[in-house]
Amino acid sequence: PLYLYMFLEYLLKPLRFLDLVCFFDSSNTRKCMNIYSITGGNPGYWGYFNMQESFKENICRLFLQKDSPFYDVGIREVSEHLRELNVYATLLATLAEGREKMNEIHLHTGYSRPKISVYLKNLMAHEYVEKVFSYEAPGEANVKKGVYRISNPMLQFWFRFIYPHMGEIGAISPDNFYEKYIADDIATHTGKYFCRVCSEYLSILNEKNCLPFVYTRCGEWVGKHGTIDIVAQNAKRDTLLGFCNYEFDGMSYEDYEKYLACAKQAYLKPMYCYLFSVTGFDERLERLAKENDTIQLVDMSQL
């Protein structure tokens, strides 16, 4: 039994977004995306969510009452492997807020850099945190280095929205808690995992030889003044770039120009661009895509 536990705990890889869609047998891609942004590829969490409820209703039922299944899931998860929970919780909450560089963490927490480094290594050892390595591109001078992120979507959500305000659970209604602390920023949280789904989509097309070329390397370019969500290249350095937009007002031609400016910082010249958007594209961008077959527009329904 112990060997089986160790095997499942450390070797089983997360399932794909496509597996989650099949699990719920649903064509409601947006609702599946919302669930995926919290559960990731962990099927043990999926069964707690009800597709007949709204996203808000699921969050209120599963997180925002003291007898809820995920009321204290972050602390429970971390306490299984690590001690000094206050320190680890502080670091995770800091990362969840978007302070991802060592100096930002140091200034916010007051912990020394050597101490932070040791505790981050422990979090990485248990795959709670990852150090982000930008895709290797010629524009190395513009790369943002030393970035750390929470790798577990459930922990990212819990330490971002629940942990800082746990004292108010039970003091105010779940509905009010959601509107006060979650509603305004949940789209930003979900958008981070939308990029992961888009990357998975391209990976499936790549396996089926449905892209303009078969790429052999893929990653994210993290720049000082912007990010390229997906960089894919083959051995010849043919380049495909993917840009993901989770804003509810759609992707505009101006957004596309900003993406190209970011590619210029990375010294990457894309042969093809795949643009992903939750709520569609403006007319100018749609017209450009019709005239230029190197630009592909993909909305959420296609994922």
Side-chain angles (χ1 to χ4, degrees):
L2 180 59
Y3 176 84
L4 180 61
Y5 171 79
M6 296 287 285
F7 177 81
L8 292 174
E9 180 74 10
Y10 292 103
L11 298 183
L12 207 60
K13 297 299 181 184
L15 299 184
R16 303 176 299 175
F17 175 71
L18 179 60
D19 298 313
L20 182 146
V21 174
C22 293
F23 176 86
F24 287 107
D25 191 21
S26 174
S27 59
N28 191 327
T29 311
R30 176 171 292 190
K31 188 171 283 189
C32 289
M33 183 67 241
N34 287 335
I35 295 173
Y36 182 79
S37 73
I38 296 177
T39 65
N42 186 336
Y45 295 142
W46 297 350
Y48 288 94
F49 286 79
N50 184 347
M51 289 295 286
Q52 306 307 312
E53 295 179 347
S54 69
F55 182 62
K56 175 181 176 179
E57 288 170 339
N58 272 293
I59 296 303
C60 290
R61 176 173 56 84
L62 295 174
F63 291 89
L64 304 183
Q65 302 174 61
K66 292 189 176 181
D67 58 350
S68 298
F70 300 140
Y71 162 72
D72 60 349
V73 64
I75 293 298
R76 288 204 322 263
E77 175 71 24
V78 175
S79 66
E80 287 184 9
H81 303 105
L82 299 168
R83 298 180 180 178
E84 299 184 73
L85 293 180
N86 288 338
V87 176
Y88 287 112
T90 299
L91 290 176
L92 289 167
T94 301
L95 291 172
E97 289 178 352
R99 296 178 176 89
E100 300 176 333
K101 292 183 67 65
M102 178 68 74
N103 192 53
E104 294 172 338
I105 300 170
H106 163 67
L107 292 175
H108 183 71
T109 63
Y111 299 152
S112 68
R113 289 177 178 82
K115 179 176 181 176
I116 293 170
S117 181
V118 169
Y119 282 83
L120 285 177
K121 285 181 181 179
N122 290 338
L123 288 168
M124 288 189 287
H126 292 285
E127 299 186 355
Y128 296 142
V129 169
E130 61 184 348
K131 188 172 184 179
V132 178
F133 294 95
S134 186
Y135 189 93
E136 292 183 7
E140 187 174 344
N142 296 317
V143 168
K144 187 176 181 181
K145 300 177 181 178
V147 175
Y148 297 88
R149 292 178 186 165
I150 297 176
S151 53
N152 183 315
M154 178 65 82
L155 293 186
Q156 170 65 31
F157 175 84
W158 194 84
F159 279 100
R160 171 66 182 84
F161 296 106
I162 309 300
Y163 176 76
H165 314 293
M166 285 193 75
E168 292 205 43
I169 295 179
I172 62 176
S173 70
D175 185 83
N176 287 340
F177 187 103
Y178 183 92
E179 293 300 328
K180 185 175 181 180
Y181 296 117
I182 300 176
D184 290 342
D185 294 324
I186 190 62
T188 301
H189 167 84
T190 306
K192 296 177 182 178
Y193 298 97
F194 180 59
C195 297
R196 186 181 296 184
V197 171
C198 296
S199 181
E200 178 188 304
Y201 171 83
L202 287 179
S203 176
I204 293 172
L205 293 183
N206 193 54
E207 291 172 3
K208 296 183 177 182
N209 295 321
C210 294
L211 293 176
F213 61 85
V214 177
Y215 63 77
T216 53
R217 297 175 61 224
C218 186
E220 173 190 16
W221 188 82
V222 183
K224 295 177 181 177
H225 306 290
T227 296
I228 303 175
D229 302 308
I230 303 168
V231 181
Q233 292 182 323
N234 60 14
K236 298 179 181 179
R237 292 277 183 174
D238 297 331
T239 303
L240 180 154
L241 300 184
F243 299 98
C244 311
N245 176 72
Y246 201 78
E247 301 297 326
F248 292 114
D249 54 355
M251 184 183 290
S252 68
Y253 184 85
E254 288 72 23
D255 292 327
Y256 171 65
E257 289 184 319
K258 292 177 183 177
Y259 298 146
L260 292 183
C262 192
K264 189 174 182 179
Q265 292 176 21
Y267 292 92
L268 290 170
K269 296 181 179 179
M271 295 179 63
Y272 300 91
C273 283
Y274 277 68
L275 307 180
F276 299 87
S277 179
V278 172
T279 50
F281 309 86
D282 70 7
E283 292 183 5
R284 190 178 179 188
L285 199 50
E286 288 183 346
R287 188 165 59 249
L288 178 66
K290 289 179 181 179
E291 298 169 353
N292 189 341
D293 60 6
T294 66
I295 300 173
Q296 298 292 321
L297 308 183
V298 184
D299 63 34
M300 177 170 271
S301 64
Q302 296 172 254
L303 299 177

